[in-house]
Amino acid sequence: MAEPPDAIDLGRDRDLRGRRKDVWFRRSLLALVALVPVLALFNLFGQRPTTSNASVPAATLSVYAPTTLRGGLLWEGRIHITAHREIKNAILVLSTGWAEGMSINTIEPSPTGEASDNGRLEFTLGHIPQNKSFILYMQFQVNPTNVGHRSRSTTLYDGKTELAAVHQKVTIFP
Amino acid sequence: MDLAIRAIVLYAFVFFLTRVVGRRELSSLQPFDLILLIVLGDSIQQGLTQDDYSVTGALIVVGMIAALQVGTSYLSFRVPRLRPVLDGLPIVVIEDGKPIQKNLHRERISVEELTEEMRQQQIASLDEVQWAVLETSGAISFIKKSDS
C-alpha cells in the first residue's frame, strides 16, 4: 500500500476513527440554525400585530400593534375607540413604552392637544358621539439600539374619568 | 459599543455557520452560490451597521472583525487541540483509485462531482489517483500514482 501524504492520519482521516459522531453533531447544530427561521414563522421574533381589547359600558378600546419587534423595523400602532355612549372629551394616555427608543414618524389624525401626563404622552382627541368610532394611526420605527422588554399601556379617559385601559408587554430583539 | 457587540455576534454566527454548513458548499462557487453569498453579505451588513453611515462606525466594525479574525487564527495556531474545531480536519475520499463512499456520503459529494474536480486538475481517470483528500478549505487535493 502506498504511503499516505504527510500529516494524513489514515485512522483519523480515512477511517474517521473518533470522528463518527462529528457529523451528527454538525447536523444537530445545522438543525438549530434552521430552527430560527421556523420559529420566526410562528411570529416569535415579530412583527405581526396583535389586537388587545378593553371593553366597558362606555366604550371599547382596541389596540392593534405588534408586541414583538426588531431593531430598525417600521411598524404601525392603531388605536380604535368605539363609543357606546357619548364621550365628551376623549383623552388617550400612552405610557412611555410607546415612545421610548422609537422614532415617531406620524400620528394621524393629529390630536387636538398634546401634553405630558406625569411623563406619559397625553393626546386630546375631543368629542366622540355615541356609537361612533375614532381610529388613531401611529407610525413608528424602532431605533436600532432599543433592545429589551417594555410595558406599553394605553388608557382612555373622558375628561378626568378613566374609562378603559389596555396593558401590553413589548419585546424588542436586536 | 453597540456596533462592536453586533460585530462579535455576527462574526461568531457566520463562523459557526461556515463550520456546520459543510466545506464543499463553501468552496464550490456555482453561479447560484455566488448570488447567495452576495445576499448573505448584504443581510449581514444590514444587521451589523443598520442606519449608521459614519466612518467611525465602519472603523469600529472593520477593526473588530479584523481583530476577531486574527484572534481566531492565532488561537488555531497556538492551541493545536482547538484546530479541529476552528479549522476542521481533512478527509480522505479516494484511495488507490477507489472512491471511499462513506466519506463522500458524509460530505455530500457525488462521484460525478469528484471526477469533475479531477478533470479540472487534468486528471482523466480515477485509476491515476493514489489519494484524494478533501481539505479543510473545501478544496480537493489529488495525488497521482507514481507510475501515472
Side-chain angles (χ1 to χ4, degrees):
Chain A
M1 189 181 75
E3 281 292 305
D6 285 353
I8 292 292
D9 177 340
L10 288 183
R12 184 193 65 185
D13 301 329
R14 180 191 60 189
D15 305 332
L16 307 180
R17 213 167 289 145
R19 292 172 65 180
R20 295 209 179 274
K21 285 180 186 162
D22 291 6
V23 71
W24 288 108
F25 183 63
R26 200 178 74 193
R27 284 172 188 167
S28 313
L29 291 176
L30 199 56
L32 208 64
V33 172
L35 188 66
V36 175
V38 172
L39 292 176
L41 287 174
F42 291 96
N43 198 29
L44 202 79
F45 307 115
Q47 73 271 19
R48 198 183 306 152
T50 51
T51 306
S52 303
N53 293 305
S55 200
V56 291
T60 297
L61 174 66
S62 177
V63 178
Y64 178 75
T67 51
T68 314
L69 294 160
R70 302 184 301 272
L73 276 185
L74 289 159
W75 61 281
E76 178 186 282
R78 196 165 71 209
I79 300 173
H80 190 154
I81 302 163
T82 307
H84 301 311
R85 63 152 172 85
E86 181 186 42
I87 302 174
K88 288 195 173 93
N89 185 25
I91 295 171
L92 263 184
V93 176
L94 308 182
S95 70
T96 52
W98 277 97
E100 185 66 48
M102 299 284 175
S103 298
I104 303 175
N105 295 334
T106 188
I107 298 174
E108 293 295 336
S110 293
T112 54
E114 291 183 34
S116 172
D117 172 35
N118 198 24
R120 300 181 301 170
L121 305 174
E122 186 184 288
F123 296 150
T124 305
L125 310 178
H127 177 241
I128 307 175
Q130 187 176 8
N131 297 326
K132 295 285 181 185
S133 282
F134 185 100
I135 303 176
L136 187 74
Y137 296 92
M138 297 184 289
Q139 308 294 335
F140 298 88
Q141 185 168 20
V142 185
N143 293 345
T145 50
N146 178 12
V147 176
H149 298 281
R150 303 200 190 286
S151 37
R152 188 172 70 185
S153 67
T154 312
T155 313
L156 174 67
Y157 288 85
D158 185 1
K160 290 193 189 279
T161 312
E162 181 179 326
L163 297 180
V166 170
H167 302 283
Q168 295 170 307
K169 286 270 179 203
V170 185
T171 304
I172 303 163
F173 287 95
Chain B
M1 190 188 86
D2 192 60
L3 278 179
I5 293 170
R6 280 171 194 278
I8 294 169
V9 170
L10 286 172
Y11 179 90
F13 181 68
V14 173
F15 187 84
F16 171 75
L17 201 64
T18 53
R19 293 292 296 120
V20 299
V21 156
R23 55 191 96 175
R24 284 302 293 161
E25 273 76 4
L26 296 163
S27 75
S28 58
L29 281 184
Q30 301 293 325
F32 183 68
D33 300 320
L34 191 67
I35 293 164
L36 273 187
L37 202 66
I38 294 165
V39 171
L40 192 73
D42 192 46
S43 310
I44 290 165
Q45 182 275 323
Q46 287 178 22
L48 195 57
T49 56
Q50 298 219 333
D51 288 333
D52 188 335
Y53 302 115
S54 66
V55 173
T56 315
L59 290 178
I60 293 168
V61 169
V62 174
M64 178 54 80
I65 289 174
L68 288 167
Q69 182 61 16
V70 172
T72 310
S73 142
Y74 184 75
L75 259 182
S76 167
F77 173 69
R78 292 292 295 180
V79 189
R81 288 181 67 181
L82 280 181
R83 230 167 276 161
V85 179
L86 296 174
D87 300 332
L89 290 166
I91 291 181
V92 178
V93 288
I94 298 178
E95 181 183 4
D96 198 19
K98 293 179 189 67
I100 304 174
Q101 290 297 343
K102 69 175 188 331
N103 291 2
L104 289 172
H105 184 254
R106 178 191 159 108
E107 293 299 324
R108 300 188 296 273
I109 303 172
S110 63
V111 175
E112 289 74 22
E113 214 181 330
L114 199 61
T115 50
E116 185 185 322
E117 284 281 338
M118 283 165 42
R119 288 193 298 275
Q120 285 173 7
Q121 297 187 37
Q122 286 75 48
I123 302 169
S125 162
L126 280 167
D127 293 333
E128 295 174 41
V129 180
Q130 180 61 52
W131 300 102
V133 179
L134 175 63
E135 304 291 356
T136 56
S137 64
I140 300 176
S141 310
F142 295 94
I143 295 160
K144 289 184 176 179
K145 289 179 178 170
S146 49
D147 56 344
S148 63

